[in-house]
Amino acid sequence: MDNVAAHSRRDGPDALEIMSEIISLMCITILAFLLGAKSKRECLVNLTYGRILVFIVYMLSWSFAVTSMVSVSTNNYNITSCTLAMLACDVFYASSKIVIYMWLIERVHVVTAKRTTRFKSWQYRIHIMILIPYVGIFVLMLMFRNIYLLDSGECVIGLQWVASMPLMCYDFFLNLYLTYLFVKPLFNIGRNTGRGNWRETRLYKLTKRTLIASLVCLLVSLANVMSIVISRGHLRGLVCLSCCTLDVTINVMTIHWVKYLFLFILSK
């Protein structure tokens, strides 16, 4: 045991560890800045359901980034830290995805059913039910995962195919479906204005940017999960954590961009 500890101290952090810690630090800074900007503009009495969901996404993403940085710094020769790193991926990452889906469903409801309460809207109820399979996928993520240390002391984590394949398929098709539902009504509104220059309207510009942002979220999430599938769940812990940290940070940046672009356009 003393030889292992001495060996670890002699080697110090390698290039990947340093890079992962820099990525985590940058993401923590960005998420903290966006959370501060969000909270500065909001008042507790004006918090709506959609705004509460956005706050939860920010907090879950920031918590994951902090946990990721701590794990990256401690998971070599440490099976406990390695296990906690995998648990953080399962809990914080999966939870942030669920809340993002709930926020997208809320946005779809606001656009398509303005005069109907949430649970009186059949579309909203169906969309909430679509989230139920994620509970089963989350259970698979907890049951079928890889956590072990190499002889070199490096932490290796990941999801086995029985968990990663359903996650990738579900994530891709749900993101694609929600993007379609969110964009289609806005395009219809723009086309029904009767104006020849409807492509120059503020609503069309917002729709175009929202489509770009949604596709960015879709592609980033797909690339992240696909890396897990291709590696068969045998990624070095710090690589997996860095990819997931970048994933949630880009998602938060995208939500923030769309949210405040919408407020900026309304103020014009």
Side-chain angles (χ1 to χ4, degrees), residues 98 131-140:
I98 285 289
L131 294 180
I132 294 177
Y134 206 98
V135 177
I137 294 176
F138 180 71
V139 173
L140 291 177

Side-chain angles (χ1 to χ4, degrees), residues 113-178:
K114 294 182 179 180
R115 298 183 179 180
T116 308
T117 58
R118 294 182 187 89
F119 289 100
K120 286 185 178 180
S121 168
W122 63 268
Q123 187 182 50
Y124 185 86
R125 294 198 301 266
I126 290 175
H127 290 162
I128 291 297
M129 290 178 64
I130 290 176
L131 294 180
I132 294 177
Y134 206 98
V135 177
I137 294 176
F138 180 71
V139 173
L140 291 177
M141 291 168 64
L142 293 176
M143 293 177 60
F144 299 96
R145 55 187 183 174
N146 299 316
I147 306 172
Y148 61 91
L149 297 177
L150 299 176
D151 293 337
S152 60
E154 295 177 356
C155 167
V156 175
I157 60 177
L159 297 175
Q160 300 174 19
W161 271 26
V162 69
S164 60
M165 285 299 293
L167 176 62
M168 183 179 71
C169 295
Y170 180 87
D171 199 45
F172 175 75
F173 286 111
L174 184 57
N175 268 291
L176 198 62
Y177 174 66
L178 290 176

Side-chain angles (χ1 to χ4, degrees), residues 18-36 57-69 220 238 240-253:
I18 296 173
M19 185 182 300
S20 296
E21 290 178 359
I22 292 174
I23 290 173
S24 295
L25 185 59
M26 290 176 59
C27 290
I28 290 170
T29 303
I30 292 171
L31 291 169
F33 173 79
L34 295 181
L35 180 59
V57 171
Y58 283 28
M59 290 303 301
L60 287 172
S61 301
W62 181 84
S63 299
F64 177 74
V66 172
T67 306
S68 173
M69 185 170 182
V220 169
L238 56 87
C240 183
L241 290 170
S242 296
C243 290
C244 290
T245 302
L246 285 172
D247 186 343
V248 297
T249 303
I250 292 173
N251 276 289
V252 168
M253 291 172 65

Side-chain angles (χ1 to χ4, degrees), residues 5 12 23 32 35 45 80 82-83 85 87 92 94 112-113 119 160 164 180 184-185 194 222 230 264:
I23 290 173
L35 180 59
V45 296
T80 301
C82 193
T83 303
L87 188 61
F92 290 125
T112 60
F119 289 100
Q160 300 174 19
S164 60
Y180 166 77
K184 182 175 179 292
L222 180 63
I230 294 174
F264 175 76

